[in-house]
Amino acid sequence: MSKIISIHSFRGGTGKSNSTASLAAIVARYGYRVGIVDTDIQSPGIHVLFGFDEQKIEYSLNDYLWGKCRIEETAYNVTSVLQKTGKPNSQIYLIPSSINAKDITKVLREGFDFNLLNDGFQELIETLNLDYLFIDTHPGLNEETLLSIVISDILVLILRPDRQDFQGTAVTVEVARRLEVPKMLLLINKALPALDFDALQQQVEKTYNAPLAGILPLAEEMIQMASSDIFCLRFPDHPLSKIMEKVAQMLI
Amino acid sequence: MNHPESQQPSTPKSMADVIDLPKDQRQIVNWIIRQKKVTLAEIVDYTKLTEQAIQENIQILISAGFITEMQENGIVFYQTCLNQTRKSKLSQQIWDNL
């Protein structure tokens, strides 16, 4: 049975794309077939982490939403990022959004058919025989993110230890509950290592009445990497990667 | 009737409107979105509500413009009919300059 996993945050800059890429890579490494859809059509970027040359994107998610191609034509096999760490069945497919300015403004101007997006997710799962479909969402709440949340089997909400994030996450948690997401996990990112992680965990779980999957420390290596690679693959022994590994196991 | 907009669909309904539905109706719409199209029996099986309660809620949801009824090979299905696009309200002049 395939699972749809949405990675979401109320505010931008929480590390959604980095976390999505790492979690998807770890899950794939276990021998699963994984798809990643960049539904952040207004500000796409996850393709950068996979070293994707945007000039080589023949079709993007935008083209599918405008009826120019089938959804499977927008899927690019990026399994090579695993190098030799994967299993024989491991596969990762990336469905990027266009980084072309005209394409982005066209989406803002004309919108797109939300039902088509939902249909596309199902088609991807069937045609690529996916075990997991990760959805990298646009931050905040809008029609697309609500759709992504409602169709998800698991929702991972990322927040930083920041009062604005805490407040916004409360809103998102409430919405996710009203949309009856079967499983919701919170993930704190960019936590200063000096913080008391146990106290933070207790505070967050009590506030939201939802499980905290992990607390990812702010890592200098992540900043230095500057989205040039997938963190957990580059630094598999880093404490952050170890926590991400545990989070990925909660998704499987 | 526990929904004020149960008589006539005024404007196309969106995902944001689903959030404000009463619990039972919201549960039905959420389920239909996930399944794409469902029969009455499937809704009964999933929600554990009585068939009568579901039929009442379905009529409210149809009247309010959240779902629609369709037939395929003599079988009645329900599917959502939410507003499918969100177009910009920004002036055309700004778009023309982009």
Side-chain angles (χ1 to χ4, degrees), chain A residues 25-26 28-29 78-86 90-92 233:
Chain A
I26 294 168
R29 226 168 35 187
V78 291
T79 312
S80 59
V81 295
L82 294 177
Q83 295 179 348
K84 290 178 181 174
T85 62
S90 300
Q91 293 290 327
I92 309 180
L233 299 178

Side-chain angles (χ1 to χ4, degrees), chain B residues 24-82:
Chain B
D24 290 349
Q25 292 168 23
R26 188 165 19 95
Q27 187 183 20
I28 293 169
V29 176
N30 287 342
W31 173 248
I32 298 176
I33 293 170
R34 290 188 185 118
Q35 303 302 312
K36 295 196 177 277
K37 60 178 185 178
V38 297
T39 63
L40 180 63
E42 287 170 328
I43 301 174
V44 171
D45 189 46
Y46 173 71
T47 61
K48 309 297 181 198
L49 297 170
T50 65
E51 190 170 324
Q52 189 188 347
I54 290 170
Q55 278 182 330
E56 284 173 9
N57 280 320
I58 281 175
Q59 286 314 309
I60 293 169
L61 291 168
I62 290 173
S63 300
F66 284 95
I67 63 173
T68 186
E69 188 179 286
M70 51 181 274
Q71 279 205 22
E72 273 181 21
N73 303 322
I75 300 170
V76 176
F77 289 97
Y78 299 96
Q79 62 182 22
T80 56
C81 49
L82 300 173

Side-chain angles (χ1 to χ4, degrees), chain A residues 52-70:
Chain A
F52 218 75
D53 180 357
E54 49 265 29
Q55 303 299 323
K56 290 181 180 171
I57 299 178
E58 188 181 358
Y59 290 120
S60 65
L61 183 64
N62 308 55
D63 295 305
Y64 163 72
L65 293 171
W66 296 325
K68 292 181 182 172
C69 65
R70 289 173 290 128

Side-chain angles (χ1 to χ4, degrees), chain A residues 42 105 108-115 118-119 122 143-144 146-147 150-151 175 178-181, chain B residues 14-16 18-21 26-27 30 33-34 36 82-88 92 95 98:
Chain A
Q42 293 95 324
T105 53
L108 295 174
R109 187 173 64 242
E110 297 177 9
F112 60 85
D113 184 338
F114 301 124
N115 287 345
N118 194 6
D119 292 343
Q122 296 303 326
E143 290 283 313
E144 298 104 284
L146 291 178
L147 175 73
V150 77
I151 61 164
V175 166
R178 293 182 77 84
L179 294 176
E180 298 166 325
V181 179
Chain B
S14 69
M15 275 302 304
V18 174
I19 291 169
D20 293 330
L21 282 171
R26 188 165 19 95
Q27 187 183 20
N30 287 342
I33 293 170
R34 290 188 185 118
K36 295 196 177 277
L82 300 173
N83 190 17
Q84 297 179 356
T85 54
R86 176 176 48 84
K87 291 190 177 180
S88 167
Q92 188 58 44
W95 290 117
L98 289 173

Side-chain angles (χ1 to χ4, degrees), chain A residues 235-246:
Chain A
F235 302 102
D237 297 321
H238 192 282
L240 190 152
S241 300
K242 299 290 183 193
I243 297 166
M244 204 60 107
E245 178 83 30
K246 287 182 183 169

